[in-house]
């Protein structure tokens, strides 16, 4: 379903063309089954697909194992290197998470009423700084790790040209914490500007890029709708 929807990859490629082009490096943190990997390769980008779930790693290697432009990294990303436990929802593995507080928060929302995190696995953890040291600095970094975004960002010591992180209304405060961290990362480089894309629309909700306060107001408009999406940040000098 992620790779066969007609026109989906064309729309995705058009959307990400704003951030990635031939020869650029893209980090897909929480690569899932690689729908964005395919779109980014269509743009000519070199992709580092990071995914800790063993089943998804097998799928990524099946689809992209022979593509020299894709590096599949079977680990998690966090604030520090080491090992940690990943809580897995067998029935809905897309919401598997390394953030117990996030699981507790979203489990109280009715949209997650049937979700159960019924097992866990121990996974290797590296930082974004570690990945950059090995693979180079990305032009764009997508972070979609089900409530672990702050921990991922805490392992980054430099501002990136552009990045995104997931927004989930039941975990609004977690998104604000991630935004605060991105703001602090961007200060030495002149700051970030922001926009928001509701889930899988491949469109920006705002007609212009906003400062952090403007983004929060925009998110407050979408919060009552209960729909997730992604916050996009790019350095102000790139806007």
């Amino acid at each position: 379903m992620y790779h066969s929807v007609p026109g989906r990859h064309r729309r995705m490629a058009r959307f990400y063309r704003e951030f990635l082009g031939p020869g650029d490096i893209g980090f897909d943190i929480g690569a899932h089954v690689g729908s964005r990997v395919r779109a980014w390769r269509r743009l000519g980008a070199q992709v580092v697909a990071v995914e800790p779930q063993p089943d998804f790693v097998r799928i990524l290697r099946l689809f992209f194992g022979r593509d020299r432009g894709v590096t599949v990294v079977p680990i998690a990303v966090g604030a520090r290197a080491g090992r940690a436990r990943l809580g897995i929802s067998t029935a809905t593995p897309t919401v598997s998470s390394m953030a117990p507080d996030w699981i507790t928060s979203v489990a109280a929302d009715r949209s997650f009423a049937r979700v159960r995190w019924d097992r866990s696995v121990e996974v290797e953890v590296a930082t974004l700084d570690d990945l950059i040291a090995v693979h180079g600095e990305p032009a764009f970094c997508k972070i979609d790790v089900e409530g672990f975004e702050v921990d991922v960002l805490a392992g980054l010591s430099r501002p990136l040209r552009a990045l995104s992180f997931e927004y989930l209304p039941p975990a609004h405060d977690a998104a604000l914490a991630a935004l605060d961290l991105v703001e602090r990362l961007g200060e030495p480089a002149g700051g970030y500007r922001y926009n928001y894309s509701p889930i899988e629309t491949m469109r920006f909700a705002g007609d212009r890029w906003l400062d952090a306060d403007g983004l929060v107001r925009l998110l407050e408009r979408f919060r009552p709708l209960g729909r997730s999406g992604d916050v996009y940040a790019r350095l102000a000098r790139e806007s």
Side-chain angles (χ1 to χ4, degrees), residues 1 5 11-13 16-17 20 29 33 37 69 106 112 126-127 149 158 165 213 238:
M1 66 178 283
V5 178
R11 292 194 302 273
M12 201 174 283
Y16 283 106
R17 190 173 288 119
L20 289 165
I29 311 299
V33 296
V37 176
V106 301
F112 283 78
T127 68
E149 286 79 8
R158 70 186 82 182
F165 61 87
D213 289 340
E238 304 285 341

Side-chain angles (χ1 to χ4, degrees), residues 41 57 106 114 125 130 134 143 158 166 188 225 232-233:
R41 288 296 290 140
V57 170
V106 301
R114 297 184 179 182
V125 181
D130 294 335
V134 174
I143 305 170
R158 70 186 82 182
E166 186 182 28
L225 303 177
Y232 287 79

Side-chain angles (χ1 to χ4, degrees), residues 87-111:
I88 293 179
S89 172
T90 303
T92 51
T94 56
V95 296
S96 297
S97 175
M98 292 174 60
D101 290 345
W102 180 88
I103 291 175
T104 300
S105 176
V106 301
D109 188 85
R110 63 182 181 182
S111 63

Side-chain angles (χ1 to χ4, degrees), residues 27 29 77-78 126-133 141 143 152-153 155-156:
F27 281 8
I29 311 299
V77 181
T127 68
L128 278 177
D129 281 345
D130 294 335
L131 291 174
I132 290 170
C141 177
I143 305 170
V152 172
L153 290 164
L156 178 65

